[in-house]
Amino acid sequence: MSTCKKARAEATSVVSTDRLSSLPPEIKGDILSRLNAEEAVRTSTLSSTWRDAWTDMPVISLCDGNLTRTKFVTLVDMVLLLHKGTIEEFDISGSKNYHDEFGRWMIMLSRKSPKSVIIKLNSGPRYKIPSCLFSIGDLEYLHLENCIISLPRAFQGFKSLTDLTLKIFSSTDKDIQNLILFCPALTDLILDSFEGINRLNIKAPKLDYLYVEGDFEDIKLDAPNLEVAFLSLDNKGKAYQSVPIAHDKESYVKQSLGSLSVIETLTISGFFLKYLSKGCIHTKLPAVFTHLKSVCLMICLWDQRQVLTACSLFQNAPNLKKLDIWSFPWSILGQDEDQVGIQGLNLQLKMDHLVMASVNHFGGLDYEVDFVAKLLSWAPGLEELKIDWKGEKDCSMSLAKLLALPRASTRAKVIVTF
């Protein structure tokens, strides 16, 4: 490179550097927020104008990664202690044990009044969330993992919280009920893998997305604006317990789903359908799911009560378009189950709007074929029924039965995949 070209390049570099250095602190902070905290702090060595730029970052992301425990503790302490600006979003994750430091970190964090908090410290015993975190009045997004939720007596609620995610946690019926109840703006709720909660009572007038997976005995939903729901009961024993419904012995379906008048997508997994089938079934519910377009069910097709419960749901979903069935593998439930079948049941249903259906984990057993026969007779508008074969026996006889089944729809195609 000639001397003139080199001089011009150096001059351009100096001008560019000066332009970056002369940016307002909030712009620098926004730029640094796109880095993790460790990388952002390192920019303090670039020049005197960048020395304190990281202290104005609105977004802080901390992950122990390859750092030693001592270095990570030092980093978190320094970031929370020296940060001068407003923290909009705070995200910390780690695979080491930080129980000794967790309390002081939360105290320092609460003083910054962040709007979004994500805590994923998944090593060691569960972290008890201190009361100071529940005092952050402007919180809009909260994600906690590996924790213990115990509300302080002075808890006034999160008035602006719209998203709440709790995973691998323990709490009580009352604390979870009040936590949800005192978040009037809540729209998205995830409760995944929890202990200590027997009766889950969810009252959330603005909730439109719900994911629940865990062990519980009862669930009551009061969420009139819920559009998408995933409900899964993990514990087989609790699904089979006989727990009376207080003041209402009509239906577990009514108790759990009766308020969901605008639900559009519903997934029922694990042993949740078994739980729903414990009460009176196949009755007209007070709420008709006119908006329900997609349903996914994990079901024991040899259990008449579960099939009747599913039919109760179908009966109240006149506009259902898509149905995914997962047949419970025989090996999961064991040989103690009574195999009854549904062939003798007089089920007269009309699923006029059903277009797509699938039966997954199909073993080719008689009760599964019987259900497919019922489904084909109920859906005059059906276009495609997919069957995912997982059977261990010879499939030729079952396939012959399936392909010979009468269909209410002249356009219905039965597709079997292996």
Side-chain angles (χ1 to χ4, degrees):
M1 181 183 292
S2 66
T3 303
C4 292
K5 287 182 178 180
K6 184 175 181 181
R8 283 198 299 270
E10 290 176 349
T12 301
S13 177
V14 170
V15 171
S16 299
T17 302
D18 288 341
R19 285 177 179 174
L20 288 174
S21 299
S22 61
L23 290 173
E26 61 272 16
I27 300 298
K28 291 180 183 177
D30 184 65
I31 294 172
L32 295 180
S33 290
R34 305 173 195 279
L35 306 174
N36 63 46
E38 182 187 9
E39 293 170 336
V41 171
R42 286 177 181 172
T43 62
S44 62
T45 62
L46 293 175
S47 67
S48 58
T49 57
W50 284 91
R51 182 171 298 136
D52 297 323
W54 68 268
T55 62
D56 287 304
M57 292 191 305
V59 178
I60 292 178
S61 178
L62 295 155
C63 178
D64 59 5
N66 296 323
L67 293 176
T68 65
R69 184 185 181 284
T70 301
K71 287 185 177 180
F72 186 67
V73 169
T74 301
L75 175 65
V76 178
D77 282 338
M78 181 176 66
V79 169
L80 289 174
L81 187 62
L82 299 181
H83 192 278
K84 297 183 299 185
T86 300
I87 297 180
E88 296 286 335
E89 301 176 21
F90 179 83
D91 183 344
I92 184 169
S93 60
S95 58
K96 303 175 184 67
N97 191 319
Y98 301 105
H99 284 78
D100 293 340
E101 297 80 16
F102 185 69
R104 72 166 180 267
W105 289 348
M106 293 301 100
I107 291 173
M108 289 190 285
L109 176 63
S110 64
R111 292 170 180 166
K112 302 294 183 179
S113 298
K115 293 184 177 180
S116 172
V117 173
I118 300 174
I119 300 174
K120 301 178 182 178
L121 300 176
N122 291 315
S123 179
R126 289 174 181 166
Y127 291 77
K128 187 179 187 303
I129 303 301
S131 58
C132 60
L133 191 67
F134 294 104
S135 67
I136 304 176
D138 296 329
L139 207 57
E140 297 176 0
Y141 183 98
L142 181 60
H143 181 128
L144 303 175
E145 295 187 11
N146 192 37
C147 63
I148 300 172
I149 304 295
S150 180
L151 294 183
R153 291 184 178 180
F155 180 60
Q156 298 296 314
F158 296 125
K159 306 304 181 185
S160 303
L161 192 72
T162 58
D163 291 74
L164 175 62
T165 296
L166 303 175
K167 294 184 176 183
I168 318 172
F169 71 100
S170 58
S171 189
T172 65
D173 297 359
K174 184 178 180 180
D175 279 341
I176 286 300
Q177 177 180 339
N178 287 336
L179 175 58
I180 297 169
L181 186 63
F182 295 155
C183 298
L186 194 65
T187 59
D188 292 69
L189 175 62
I190 296 176
L191 304 174
D192 188 1
S193 302
F194 49 83
E195 295 178 353
I197 301 172
N198 293 316
R199 289 169 175 79
L200 194 55
N201 193 343
I202 297 174
K203 186 174 183 179
K206 293 188 177 181
L207 196 68
D208 59 38
Y209 175 86
L210 174 66
Y211 181 104
V212 175
E213 182 171 6
D215 293 342
F216 51 88
E217 294 178 8
D218 276 313
I219 181 170
K220 184 176 182 180
L221 299 181
D222 186 359
N225 288 301
L226 192 64
E227 296 180 357
V228 179
F230 178 100
L231 304 170
S232 180
L233 177 58
D234 293 340
N235 191 307
K236 172 187 173 184
K238 291 189 177 181
Y240 281 68
Q241 288 175 2
S242 179
V243 181
I245 304 175
H247 310 300
D248 184 0
K249 296 182 180 179
E250 290 184 11
S251 172
Y252 281 80
V253 179
K254 177 181 176 182
Q255 172 180 273
S256 303
L257 309 178
S259 72
L260 311 186
S261 57
V262 298
I263 190 77
E264 296 179 2
T265 301
L266 176 63
T267 299
I268 292 176
S269 186
F271 295 95
F272 193 77
L273 193 61
K274 182 66 181 180
Y275 160 79
L276 291 178
S277 70
K278 291 188 299 182
C280 297
I281 49 181
H282 206 52
T283 57
K284 201 72 175 177
L285 301 180
V288 178
F289 308 119
T290 54
H291 297 269
L292 187 57
K293 304 293 177 61
S294 177
V295 168
C296 179
L297 292 178
M298 182 172 283
I299 182 173
C300 306
L301 290 172
W302 63 86
D303 184 335
Q304 287 189 357
R305 294 191 66 81
Q306 288 195 48
V307 174
L308 287 171
T309 302
C311 290
S312 177
L313 179 61
F314 302 156
Q315 182 183 3
N316 290 276
N319 298 312
L320 188 64
K321 292 184 177 181
K322 186 174 184 290
L323 175 63
D324 293 315
I325 296 292
W326 288 82
S327 181
F328 239 133
W330 180 259
S331 58
I332 290 180
L333 290 176
Q335 302 299 324
D336 60 326
E337 295 298 318
D338 293 329
Q339 184 176 343
V340 179
I342 63 170
Q343 189 173 16
L345 293 179
N346 183 24
L347 300 175
Q348 301 297 329
L349 289 182
K350 277 291 185 180
M351 303 175 73
D352 293 332
H353 295 276
L354 189 66
V355 176
M356 303 287 294
S358 67
V359 181
N360 302 282
H361 220 286
F362 189 86
L365 301 176
D366 289 343
Y367 52 79
E368 294 175 316
V369 176
D370 291 342
F371 182 82
V372 171
K374 298 284 187 185
L375 190 58
L376 288 171
S377 70
W378 294 335
L382 188 66
E383 296 180 3
E384 184 177 280
L385 171 60
K386 289 184 178 180
I387 296 176
D388 178 31
W389 184 278
K390 296 297 182 184
E392 297 178 355
K393 66 176 187 178
D394 180 42
C395 65
S396 56
M397 290 185 61
S398 295
L399 285 176
K401 290 181 181 179
L402 288 171
L403 297 177
L405 291 174
R407 309 168 192 184
S409 171
T410 57
R411 297 175 295 170
K413 296 185 295 184
V414 177
I415 301 172
V416 182
T417 59
F418 298 89

